[in-house]
Amino acid sequence: MILLITPSARGQECAAAIEAATAEPTQLAQALHDAATRLRNEEFSAVVLDQSLLETDPDQADLVEQHIGTATPVYVNCAISGTARVVRELRAALHRRNKEATVARKAAEEALRSELRESLTGMLLDCDLALALPNLPPLAREKIRAVDGLARQIAERLEVEHPASARK
């Protein structure tokens, strides 16, 4: 959902254009107080703020900006920007947000994968060493093989090469 904050007479027209262009429901708030209330009660993917409102009531503007949360803020000047420009700026901001989120997600996945690889490699090596021990009780050998099998399944999912096969 998108929140458009503007006192402009074209606000409703702009909200409809945003909704049509993004396929996301769009709400219109004509005052900062109304916008702050909506931001406290609902989650928005983007908040389009008319700069003229920010300049007229800086304290209320700060309150609105504190409640934006994870929404992407888009600052526009509705007095000089047409609806098409507001829509373009919003689309560009949402595109940047999606791209940044994708990059961050991939970085987090790779960091986690790297951390798990180290622990998994240690588990596989320890299982190999334990299974090589002489006089290992059959029940212990069975349990170690089960742990080794589970570790190999995880390694496959993480695309980790088994240390023993890496040496060959």
Side-chain angles (χ1 to χ4, degrees):
M1 187 166 0
I2 296 170
L3 178 61
L4 171 62
I5 308 169
T6 183
S8 172
R10 298 179 321 187
Q12 197 61 45
E13 169 193 333
C14 191
I18 289 171
E19 193 164 318
T22 62
E24 281 195 58
T26 303
Q27 292 185 11
L28 173 64
Q30 294 186 322
L32 290 172
H33 177 71
D34 181 31
T37 301
R38 290 176 193 227
L39 287 166
R40 276 192 295 268
N41 296 328
E42 299 178 57
E43 191 72 27
F44 294 92
S45 61
V47 176
V48 181
L49 298 116
D50 190 334
Q51 290 173 332
S52 66
L53 276 175
L54 301 178
E55 295 164 2
T56 57
D57 190 354
D59 293 335
Q60 195 69 24
D62 285 343
L63 183 64
V64 166
E65 289 178 336
Q66 288 174 10
H67 288 93
I68 284 179
T70 60
T72 300
V74 180
Y75 299 93
V76 296
N77 187 333
C78 291
I80 60 173
S81 298
T83 300
R85 182 173 179 179
V86 172
V87 169
R88 272 195 315 274
E89 298 226 4
L90 174 61
R91 280 181 148 168
L94 291 173
H95 179 72
R96 279 191 308 275
R97 175 188 181 180
N98 289 339
K99 190 174 181 179
E100 289 168 359
T102 299
V103 168
R105 186 173 34 259
K106 285 181 180 179
E109 286 174 4
E110 189 52 43
L112 180 60
R113 188 180 309 272
S114 179
E115 284 182 32
L116 291 174
R117 277 186 190 128
E118 292 174 20
S119 297
L120 196 53
T121 299
M123 284 176 60
L124 291 169
L125 284 171
D126 284 345
C127 285
D128 286 348
L129 292 172
L131 289 170
L133 290 174
N135 303 323
L136 186 65
L139 186 57
R141 184 174 302 281
E142 182 183 322
K143 295 294 181 188
I144 293 170
R145 279 195 179 122
V147 170
D148 185 73
L150 292 172
R152 288 175 192 278
Q153 286 177 5
I154 294 170
E156 274 182 37
R157 290 185 182 147
L158 293 174
E159 299 168 0
V160 173
E161 194 171 316
H162 185 272
S165 60
R167 290 182 288 216
K168 292 180 183 176

